Amino acid sequence: MQKEKTEDENPLLPLELEHQKQQQQQQLSLIKEFNHESKKLWSIAGPAIFTAVCQYSMGALTQTFAGQVGDLELAAVSVENSVIAGLGFGVMLGMGSALETLCGQAFGAGKPKMLGVYMQRSWVILFATACLLTPLYTYSPYILQLSGNTPEISQAAGKFALWMIPQLFAYAFHFPIQKFLQAQRKVFVMAWVSAIVLVIHVFFSWLFMLKYGWGLAGAAVVLNGSWWLIVILQLIYIFATKSDGAWSGFSWLAFADLWGFVKLSLASAVMLCLEFWYLMVLVVIVGSLPDPLIPVDAISICMNLQGWDAMIAIGFNAAISVRVSNELGAGNYRNAKISVTVVSITSVAIGFVAMLVVLATRDSFPYLFTTSDAVAKETTRISILLAFTVLLNSLQPVLSGVAIGAGWQSLVAYINIACYYLFGLPAGIVLGFKYGLGGMGVWGGMIGGICLQTIILIVITAFTNWKKEVDEAESRVRKWGGSASFD
């Protein structure tokens, strides 16, 4: 009887084994796809993170040298960098980000010559934007004084802002060049240029600000010069190599379809500026609390750390924007989906590790920035919010990068307004002021806004019809191609 039972069961064994084999092959295939896509993402994200760190370091090191010159000089550079230049940087970065969608999809569609025309159109628009923003720098002493700064700091920062107008126009050329090179995955070029300029920046900052005693004037000369040097070196590379056919010289097509290009640029600017300025507002609001000195110092320390951590998120934002736009332009909707999955898992894993590091060092890291026990104690108290912010900001910029790569800027702009400024900001003000929770209440409410926005973007991304996005990308490439043939 046992023999007969075994013989009856034997025919089922090959089917079960075959099914198990298929499952194992599928799992191996998924792991292989994940690893393959991960290599592609890191090949873009790694150099992009390094580039972001180098460029962020230029402003940070200028502040460090200014601190060695004097307290007023430190305050002037810090306020100008965070308020005036911060506003200008956000607007110019946002306006230039329209190029990420257009250049990435055109490159993926095999239309590299269109990238040069797109970059020139963006130069025209960003140069005009820089002219419109110039009064912000010119009247910055009055603006800063109205925002609550002392007359002494406002005058010093305002004078420094006036000297930093050349940096604003460097942004007008830099951001289109950055998006142009990123779309072609030429991120190593940007990384090398940024590293070389950073070394030069450190030497001349020391020479002019400390050795020659030029103070703020030396800081302005070096910081302006460093940003323009980045622009010039990248342009030399593009003009010398023709960027593998993506640059074919200056064209009158740069002035065609400008209004449509402006509308897409404005949508990108609104989307990114609302994100970029959101946490900047935190310090301003906390400064309005009763006895704000200790809370402001504590939150400034946390924002400093969050700024460095954001460089990782910026790298992944650039990487997923390039990958999604390239794959949609090429018609590979499945690869676009895989890219989104891989980068989301990777960035959240890194964010989780960063969160654990913050929590593990919350009693010690404040003393890297302050000698005040009161400030350090307050920083330790609110570090739990920094930990959650670090985790959320590991995924949120990635989802914004997906939106840019797919061309959803207008939709995300509306989402940001609702989540950040109609929900998160009022919630923070109510918790901080009405319920007396102070800085923690303000920050906690604003984290709620980030949470809500992230959840909405996850839902949108999860239910996206990527086949339809391929058709949208094809239509966008035809629409923005201008009247010339690029085939």
Side-chain angles (χ1 to χ4, degrees), residues 351-361 387:
F352 187 72
V353 171
M355 181 184 74
L356 292 179
V357 170
V358 169
L359 293 175
T361 61

Side-chain angles (χ1 to χ4, degrees), residues 66 77 88 188 257 313 364 417:
V77 174
F188 275 103
D257 301 319
S364 55
I417 290 172

Side-chain angles (χ1 to χ4, degrees), residues 26-42 316 319-328 331-347 395 398-399 402 461-462 464-467 469-470:
Q26 287 176 350
Q27 289 172 354
L28 289 172
S29 177
L30 288 172
I31 293 170
K32 188 176 179 181
E33 278 186 327
F34 187 97
N35 290 336
H36 182 66
E37 180 58 34
S38 186
K39 287 178 183 177
K40 287 184 178 180
L41 282 166
W42 276 107
F316 281 111
I320 192 57
S321 174
V322 170
R323 291 293 301 129
V324 167
S325 59
N326 283 178
E327 295 299 348
L328 291 180
N332 299 325
Y333 71 90
R334 187 174 180 276
N335 288 352
K337 285 179 65 175
I338 293 171
S339 295
V340 172
T341 303
V342 172
V343 77
S344 298
I345 293 171
T346 305
S347 59
L395 181 59
V398 164
L399 298 174
V402 174
T461 305
T464 292
N465 184 339
W466 291 99
K467 285 185 179 181
E469 294 302 321
V470 166

Side-chain angles (χ1 to χ4, degrees), residues 224-455:
N224 283 323
S226 296
W227 276 103
W228 274 105
L229 185 57
I230 288 174
V231 170
I232 290 166
L233 291 177
Q234 290 178 152
L235 282 176
I236 289 172
Y237 170 81
I238 291 169
F239 294 160
T241 64
K242 306 295 183 185
S243 203
D244 297 332
W247 175 258
S248 55
F250 293 98
S251 170
W252 287 108
L253 283 173
F255 297 94
D257 301 319
L258 275 180
W259 176 238
F261 214 89
V262 167
K263 288 192 290 185
L264 183 60
S265 296
L266 284 172
S268 300
V270 171
M271 171 189 156
L272 285 181
C273 284
L274 291 175
E275 295 178 1
F276 187 76
W277 294 334
Y278 187 53
L279 287 177
M280 287 174 58
V281 174
L282 175 61
V283 179
V284 177
I285 296 174
V286 171
S288 302
L289 291 168
D291 302 320
L293 185 59
I294 290 175
V296 167
D297 285 349
I299 283 180
S300 296
I301 289 171
C302 291
M303 289 299 99
N304 189 309
L305 284 177
Q306 196 275 329
W308 286 105
D309 180 75
M311 297 303 104
I312 299 174
I314 286 172
F316 281 111
N317 175 284
I320 192 57
S321 174
V322 170
R323 291 293 301 129
V324 167
S325 59
N326 283 178
E327 295 299 348
L328 291 180
N332 299 325
Y333 71 90
R334 187 174 180 276
N335 288 352
K337 285 179 65 175
I338 293 171
S339 295
V340 172
T341 303
V342 172
V343 77
S344 298
I345 293 171
T346 305
S347 59
V348 168
I350 292 173
F352 187 72
V353 171
M355 181 184 74
L356 292 179
V357 170
V358 169
L359 293 175
T361 61
R362 65 186 183 275
D363 293 322
S364 55
F365 79 75
Y367 288 100
L368 296 173
F369 302 91
T370 183
T371 56
S372 167
D373 288 334
V375 172
K377 185 177 179 181
E378 179 66 10
T379 306
T380 298
R381 191 172 75 90
I382 65 174
S383 62
I384 183 69
L385 298 178
L386 173 62
F388 279 113
T389 302
V390 164
L391 179 61
L392 284 172
N393 282 349
S394 67
L395 181 59
Q396 185 274 334
V398 164
L399 298 174
S400 293
V402 174
I404 292 170
W408 304 337
Q409 287 94 327
S410 296
L411 172 64
V412 178
Y414 288 117
I415 293 170
N416 288 352
I417 290 172
C419 295
Y420 289 168
Y421 297 91
L422 298 182
F423 175 74
L425 196 55
I429 292 171
V430 169
L431 290 172
F433 289 85
K434 185 173 181 179
Y435 289 98
L437 296 178
M440 284 197 75
V442 175
W443 196 351
M446 294 176 76
I447 286 176
I450 299 174
C451 261
L452 182 60
Q453 187 242 25
T454 303
I455 291 168

Side-chain angles (χ1 to χ4, degrees), residues 45-59:
I49 292 168
F50 181 77
T51 300
V53 169
C54 288
Q55 293 178 1
Y56 183 83
S57 297
M58 291 195 303

